[in-house]
Amino acid sequence: MTTKEKIIESAISVIQSEGTTNYSLAKVAEKTGMTKAAIFYYFKNKAELTRSLISYTIDAYEKILQEEYQLAKPNSAFPFTEAYINGNLRQLDDEKLVGLHAALIGTVMSGEATGYDWNDAYLKDFERLVPEIGEERAEFVRYTIDGMWHARILRIPEFAMEGRKSVAASLLSMIKQK
């Protein structure tokens, strides 16, 4: 693991254990075992580190979607849609990714980072859904998945794993009735 990757992993750990309110370069440096000045060699400021965390999260998300796409592609008329639904469902069970998504959304909401990277990823997914299932269904799928993320991030107990699986199965069933 490179030093830059260690810094990113430490930043993730700080955000997950202390929240975005206490997320600072000093705490990241301490967690990494470096000085704050050494962090500046890799990231010019906290905003740049946060942007790297957002990229890290999007890359992890894209990797899971790609894995799910490869599984769905041989047997599906809607491989990206299935990958999108199953990939998100899979991520919703990963505590680290859920925590990181929640924390990074917090940084966007607080103004510490922009939502442009998220918006780009969101638009890219939408543009891949539309040719398979149409714009209206693509919107429905996205909003349903977003609701699942919000429920998970907010720790709504009624929407535990079985509820998410049931909703995902209903979405897939609806899509296949196209």
Side-chain angles (χ1 to χ4, degrees), residues 2-144:
T2 68
T3 302
K4 199 169 190 172
E5 291 168 336
K6 287 178 187 173
I7 295 167
I8 289 170
E9 288 290 327
S10 293
I12 291 167
S13 178
V14 167
I15 289 171
Q16 289 180 324
S17 65
E18 302 191 33
T20 56
T21 307
N22 296 314
Y23 163 54
S24 68
L25 289 180
K27 290 198 179 200
V28 172
E30 181 182 323
K31 186 82 169 174
T32 310
M34 302 172 74
T35 64
K36 187 175 171 184
I39 299 287
F40 285 119
Y41 177 79
Y42 297 94
F43 301 96
K44 68 180 180 183
N45 54 36
K46 183 178 165 186
E48 186 177 300
L49 175 57
T50 302
R51 190 174 172 102
S52 292
L53 291 173
I54 292 170
S55 292
Y56 173 92
T57 305
I58 291 170
D59 290 347
Y61 171 78
E62 288 293 330
K63 181 180 180 216
I64 290 170
L65 285 185
Q66 186 59 37
E67 290 170 3
E68 290 293 332
Y69 181 79
Q70 292 306 318
L71 292 172
K73 188 177 174 181
N75 305 313
S76 176
F78 313 102
F80 182 76
T81 304
E82 287 192 38
Y84 181 79
I85 293 168
N86 291 330
N88 274 283
L89 187 64
R90 191 169 127 194
Q91 290 178 76
L92 286 162
D93 290 328
D94 185 322
E95 283 297 323
K96 182 179 176 182
L97 281 176
V98 170
L100 186 56
H101 276 272
L104 291 175
I105 288 170
T107 65
V108 171
M109 298 300 288
S110 71
E112 292 182 40
T114 66
Y116 295 120
D117 293 327
W118 294 111
N119 292 340
D120 290 345
Y122 204 68
L123 181 59
K124 180 181 169 187
D125 287 347
F126 183 69
E127 289 173 347
R128 293 171 71 186
L129 288 167
V130 170
E132 287 187 0
I133 60 175
E135 192 168 327
E136 186 176 296
R137 286 183 181 196
E139 288 285 353
F140 183 77
V141 167
R142 279 192 344 174
Y143 293 142
T144 303

